[in-house]
Amino acid sequence: MAQVHTAIVDAGQRALHIAAAFDFVADPGFGGYNAFVGRIRDLNHGRGVLGVSYDMFDALALQRFDEIAREAVATFGPGVRVWIEHAKGRLDVGGVAVVIAVGTPHRDEAFRACRQVIEAVKHTVPIWKQEHYEDGSSEWSEGCSLCRAD
């Protein structure tokens, strides 16, 4: 069985599914499973949000997803399984934008691996996010890699 699954999912074609992620990372020898699910929220920096559009250069994003997943396997052991899926296109409030799941023999490494993967996705993958606001305007987000700590 494959240890790593990475995909970009067209939001107009299908939704991201947590159950599929957990099925992929499941193993009878694993006692630890962890997931991060990122959903579109209705408020950001005090502004009402209607939805978000995600865009990315698919080949580069998929390459980086694969590197991130394999880094987690290298760090946490050869038996670790990693799932990374990110939506592309327009999502309304409540839509699932990203699903990260890991399966490991023990809970500590499951928590640490999941955190390592989502942080690497957020900080190193070139994903562009355009927020659409209640007032009819929209803005491209700076994203985590460009945010400043004030």
Side-chain angles (χ1 to χ4, degrees):
M1 177 180 205
Q3 283 182 270
V4 170
H5 167 86
T6 62
I8 296 166
V9 176
D10 182 333
Q13 299 295 313
R14 73 168 176 89
L16 302 181
H17 299 289
I18 293 176
F22 274 117
D23 287 346
F24 179 84
V25 300
D27 184 280
F30 290 171
Y33 297 93
N34 203 318
F36 174 83
V37 177
R39 296 181 68 177
I40 307 305
R41 62 184 177 269
D42 66 356
L43 190 67
N44 191 31
H45 298 293
R47 297 179 75 181
V49 174
L50 295 175
V52 172
S53 295
Y54 289 98
D55 199 5
M56 60 194 87
F57 178 56
D58 293 8
L60 183 57
L62 283 170
Q63 177 184 342
R64 188 66 194 116
F65 288 166
D66 189 65
E67 291 168 355
I68 290 166
R70 295 194 186 285
E71 288 166 7
V73 171
T75 301
F76 297 100
V80 172
R81 293 196 185 142
V82 180
W83 172 283
I84 302 172
E85 281 194 349
H86 204 293
K88 180 177 179 177
R90 173 77 185 245
L91 294 167
D92 293 329
V93 169
V96 177
V98 61
V99 173
I100 307 296
V102 297
T104 65
H106 305 286
R107 73 178 177 277
D108 180 57
E109 58 202 8
F111 279 108
R112 291 187 297 124
C114 190
R115 181 67 184 250
Q116 177 178 305
V117 170
I118 187 57
E119 293 300 331
V121 167
K122 294 291 285 180
H123 292 280
T124 69
V125 180
I127 298 172
W128 300 283
K129 174 181 169 181
Q130 184 181 27
E131 291 184 326
H132 306 284
Y133 301 108
E134 290 175 344
D135 66 8
S137 67
S138 64
E139 266 182 34
W140 289 96
S141 172
E142 287 184 336
C144 288
S145 62
L146 300 176
C147 291
R148 292 178 289 135
D150 292 331

